[in-house]
Amino acid sequence: MLDFLLQRKVIVRLIALFIAMILLVMVYGVARQIYWTSEFNRASDRTALYTSTLISALERYQHLPHILARDHHVIAGLQQGGAQVLNLRLESFAKQAQVDALYIMNTEGLTIASSNWRESPTFLGKNYGFRPYFKAALEGGRGEFFAIGVTTGTPGYFVGEPIRDLEGVMLGVMAMKVDLSPLTKSWAEGGEKLFVANDDGIVVLSSDESWNYRSIQPLTSEAKEVIRAEKQFVGKALDPLDVQMLGDHELTLGQVEYLHQISDIPYLRWQLHYLADKNLVIQGSQTATMIAFIFLSILLAVYLVLRSERIKRELRASEEDSRSLRALNYKLEQQIEERQRAETRLDRAQAELRKTSKMAALGQLAASVSHELGQPISAMQNYLAWADLPDSKMDEETRDVMQRLKRVVGRMGEITKQLKFFARPGGNSLQDVALQDVISGVKEIMSADIHTADVELTVDVPEEQVKVRGDRLRLEQVLINLIRNSIDAMRENGGQSIDITLTHEGELAMINVLDRGPGLPEELADQLFESFVTTKASGEGMGLGLAISASIVEDHGGELKARSRKTGGAEFSMRIPVLLEDQK
């Protein structure tokens, strides 16, 4: 049930997240459409403004060549050859009208008068008969042309008007050059992005000088030939501009995307291209989306706060309801713990009772067996000892049999000794015992056995006496039993050693017996101190020695432990409470 609720919560949260993402995508799409429309309308307005400005700049001086071509002073100067008078008059008009230059060409295209006659370079003496505006004016019409000046090297808008006398005879051409660079400079200073291209797709005016005289469409070979013949863009490579049309109203220029508006200019078949940064649309859309995200986050925060308050109220109510339950649980836990402690005490008492009953039965059995077998075994040993005398008359075979019987009887005697240890009651004969004396007495008792077994015994005891409250004889029995077990464990390997150490740590005295035997088998580690458990071969022991020893140590309030050593052999540790100062 809990897993189902968790899965349900996860699914609900995922659905809510998915809906929120859809809402944000919709907000972004709607905002992008709104900002795109707004920016497009703004681009349309700006395009109309700059188109009007450019047309005004071109129309501003349209009347001047027409008026001067019909001025009687200009006509008289041409007829009478008064070049200096014409220079002065054109200079005055150019200064007043603020045009770049006014000049007159004869029917051959040779400039015979110019407003810049004082400047260097000057148009005087230059032939511009190859210019389209001259040819159109010589044919009786009005000529217009945009080009880079072959004399000054500066671009300009050229207008030509025919000059006739009163009879209509063609006398020459009145020409005007207008500099449009102030107009493009104002575009650049306003931070706008726009350019003007002619009918060949060559940029003639722009807010960015790096775009000038570059083509936005491939040039045909015929167009290139005409441009070369008319010397329209002298010294310009007319390289393609890095522009790509994406549609009717979008393009990329220099890897930047723009909104694109086009407006036709009635003069020279020009087109004005206005560019609006598309990033403004993207930034506006992102801002709107971010606002929507913040709004949704606020709603989520409000929901979480309200939900948290509701959960807190529910938790307080739940705590009130569960307080009494916790009190009952606490009482129940106390009752359970008390019952567990009682059961533990009962189990311990039953275990002690079983052990006591078992030890009592074993004690009675040991006493009975020792009593019944003691005298026969002693008699057998006496007879066998007599038979072993040198003057006894028996052959070698009989003597060998007697030796075997002697060993069997000796083994029976050892078994009855173990039974005597087990049968000896603890009694109340407790006294102050120095453990150094216990170790010294055991060393003396076991000296013959240690010598016979070819074992070296090493004893390490402190100088200060370590005393315990106990039965010295029974403690010696424990230590003798441990040493005999070690000797038996190392019987197959002669020349071994046994180490006995006595230490005093806090309220415990510890006697350690370490041998170099094979160690303790792991499968008997938990049963080592139980009765009738032994690692010896059948007939070599009853498995009572360690059980007796553990019982004796427990009677003294101590503990007997055993473990296998990492370096080989076994270690038996007898821990007994020391005699405190107030007990001495």
Side-chain angles (χ1 to χ4, degrees):
M1 184 63 181
L2 182 60
D3 292 340
F4 173 75
L5 292 176
L6 290 176
Q7 292 178 358
R8 182 179 178 183
K9 288 183 178 179
V10 171
I11 293 173
V12 170
R13 290 174 181 175
L14 289 176
I15 293 174
L17 179 61
F18 180 71
I19 294 174
M21 291 178 64
I22 292 177
L23 289 175
L24 290 176
V25 170
M26 293 176 61
V27 168
Y28 180 84
V30 173
R32 190 178 187 281
Q33 183 62 35
I34 293 174
Y35 276 97
W36 196 95
T37 302
S38 175
E39 197 63 26
F40 181 80
N41 293 335
R42 175 183 171 277
S44 298
D45 296 339
R46 303 297 289 179
T47 302
L49 173 63
Y50 288 117
T51 299
S52 175
T53 303
L54 179 57
I55 292 175
S56 297
L58 295 176
E59 290 180 343
R60 180 179 179 183
Y61 308 106
Q62 292 289 329
H63 62 283
L64 190 56
H66 180 78
I67 293 173
L68 290 177
R70 288 156 180 77
D71 184 42
H72 65 278
H73 294 289
V74 173
I75 295 173
L78 283 175
Q79 291 174 338
Q80 298 172 8
Q84 187 59 27
V85 176
L86 292 176
N87 287 336
L88 293 173
R89 189 167 183 80
L90 293 177
E91 182 182 34
S92 175
F93 271 94
K95 185 176 181 180
Q96 292 295 324
Q98 296 181 347
V99 296
D100 195 37
L102 291 171
Y103 53 101
I104 298 173
M105 295 171 287
N106 62 19
T107 56
E108 302 298 327
L110 181 66
T111 303
I112 58 176
S114 176
S115 62
N116 61 3
W117 62 279
R118 300 177 189 270
E119 302 172 6
S120 180
T122 180
F123 291 173
L124 286 177
K126 301 296 189 297
N127 193 309
Y128 301 111
F130 58 87
R131 290 297 197 186
Y133 66 86
F134 172 78
K135 295 177 180 179
L138 195 62
E139 292 177 357
R142 180 185 179 86
E144 295 176 298
F145 191 59
F146 181 88
I148 296 175
V150 295
T151 301
T152 61
T154 60
Y157 170 59
F158 297 87
V159 178
E161 286 282 348
I163 304 175
R164 296 185 176 91
D165 60 10
L166 296 177
E167 285 77 19
V169 177
M170 184 68 67
L171 299 178
V173 173
M174 169 60 66
M176 174 185 67
K177 179 182 179 182
V178 178
D179 183 12
L180 297 177
S181 58
L183 182 63
T184 58
K185 184 179 180 181
S186 67
W187 294 348
E189 291 175 349
E192 299 285 11
K193 298 287 185 181
L194 68 153
F195 61 86
V196 178
N198 63 12
D199 56 344
D200 291 324
I202 298 174
V203 177
V204 294
L205 301 172
S206 72
S207 59
D208 189 336
E209 291 185 358
S210 64
W211 299 347
N212 289 338
Y213 316 118
R214 299 181 68 178
S215 61
I216 62 174
Q217 63 187 29
L219 293 174
T220 63
S221 56
E222 292 81 2
K224 292 180 181 179
E225 185 61 32
V226 172
I227 292 171
R228 191 163 36 249
E230 295 175 349
K231 299 181 182 180
Q232 185 176 8
F233 302 107
V234 178
K236 304 298 180 182
L238 305 180
D239 295 327
L241 188 64
D242 185 16
V243 62
Q244 182 179 1
M245 301 296 177
L246 301 179
D248 294 338
H249 300 291
E250 293 184 52
L251 61 78
T252 59
L253 179 57
Q255 307 303 319
V256 179
E257 293 188 10
Y258 295 95
L259 297 180
H260 181 212
Q261 282 280 22
I262 302 176
S263 177
D264 292 329
I265 307 299
Y267 299 98
L268 301 173
R269 299 189 300 278
W270 283 357
Q271 282 188 328
L272 186 143
H273 299 257
Y274 181 82
L275 308 179
D277 193 350
K278 194 175 179 181
N279 285 330
L280 296 176
V281 176
I282 296 175
Q283 292 173 0
S285 303
Q286 291 176 345
T287 301
T289 305
M290 183 58 66
I291 293 173
F293 175 77
I294 293 173
F295 179 73
L296 289 176
S297 300
I298 293 173
L299 289 180
L300 177 61
V302 171
Y303 166 74
L304 291 177
V305 169
L306 295 176
R307 182 173 180 269
S308 177
E309 291 297 326
R310 179 176 58 82
I311 292 175
K312 287 181 180 178
R313 289 194 300 270
E314 292 176 354
L315 285 175
R316 285 194 292 268
S318 177
E319 288 176 357
E320 291 294 333
D321 293 339
S322 63
R323 189 167 297 159
S324 57
L325 180 60
R326 286 197 299 269
L328 292 175
N329 287 337
Y330 178 73
K331 292 181 180 179
L332 181 60
E333 288 175 359
Q334 287 184 324
Q335 293 176 359
I336 292 174
E337 289 177 359
E338 182 62 30
R339 181 175 179 179
Q340 289 176 345
R341 286 193 293 268
E343 290 178 352
T344 302
R345 290 194 298 269
L346 178 61
D347 292 342
R348 189 181 299 115
Q350 290 176 346
E352 291 292 336
L353 180 61
R354 286 194 298 270
K355 184 176 180 180
T356 302
S357 300
K358 184 176 181 181
M359 295 300 290
L362 287 174
Q364 294 175 358
L365 175 63
S368 176
V369 171
S370 297
H371 177 74
E372 295 297 332
L373 294 181
Q375 291 181 353
I377 290 174
S378 296
M380 292 174 67
Q381 287 178 337
N382 292 332
Y383 285 125
L384 290 173
W386 174 81
D388 196 30
L389 294 175
D391 57 352
S392 61
K393 299 178 180 180
M394 61 181 65
D395 54 19
E396 290 298 326
E397 182 178 357
T398 304
R399 189 179 298 276
D400 183 58
V401 172
M402 297 302 291
Q403 290 294 332
R404 294 181 183 178
L405 289 173
K406 185 178 180 180
R407 288 195 294 273
V408 171
V409 173
R411 188 178 300 170
M412 295 171 63
E414 291 296 326
I415 294 173
T416 57
K417 287 180 181 179
Q418 290 187 6
L419 292 175
K420 287 179 180 180
F421 289 152
F422 189 74
R424 184 187 298 272
N428 296 319
S429 58
L430 299 180
Q431 57 186 350
D432 296 349
V433 179
L435 293 180
Q436 286 92 335
D437 296 340
V438 173
I439 295 174
S440 177
V442 171
K443 182 179 179 182
E444 182 178 353
I445 294 172
M446 295 297 297
S447 60
D449 294 316
I450 292 172
H451 178 73
T452 303
D454 192 20
V455 172
E456 181 182 356
L457 179 64
T458 302
V459 178
D460 183 12
V461 296
E463 294 182 1
E464 181 181 358
Q465 285 192 341
V466 180
K467 292 186 176 183
V468 299
R469 189 75 172 171
D471 186 335
R472 174 176 174 176
L473 184 59
R474 300 191 75 203
L475 293 176
E476 288 180 352
Q477 292 176 4
V478 174
L479 194 54
I480 289 171
N481 196 17
L482 295 179
I483 294 174
R484 281 179 174 169
N485 283 343
S486 297
I487 291 174
D488 291 340
M490 299 186 297
R491 189 179 301 279
E492 296 181 359
N493 299 325
Q496 298 294 326
S497 64
I498 298 175
D499 298 329
I500 299 177
T501 62
L502 171 61
T503 57
H504 179 199
E505 297 179 0
E507 298 180 355
L508 288 178
M510 184 164 58
I511 299 177
N512 291 330
V513 179
L514 300 88
D515 62 43
R516 306 288 191 286
L520 302 175
E522 295 182 2
E523 63 273 11
L524 298 180
D526 297 333
Q527 307 173 8
L528 197 60
F529 297 109
E530 295 183 5
S531 302
F532 306 111
V533 175
T534 181
T535 60
K536 298 179 182 179
S538 176
E540 296 184 0
M542 297 177 62
L544 296 174
L546 290 178
I548 294 170
S549 299
S551 177
I552 292 173
V553 174
E554 289 176 1
D555 289 342
H556 285 75
E559 183 181 17
L560 183 62
K561 290 187 175 181
R563 68 181 183 88
S564 292
R565 302 170 60 195
K566 294 182 179 179
T567 57
E571 177 182 354
F572 286 86
S573 178
M574 179 171 58
R575 301 183 183 186
I576 302 176
V578 298
L579 189 64
L580 302 178
E581 289 295 332
D582 57 354
Q583 297 174 337
K584 294 181 180 179

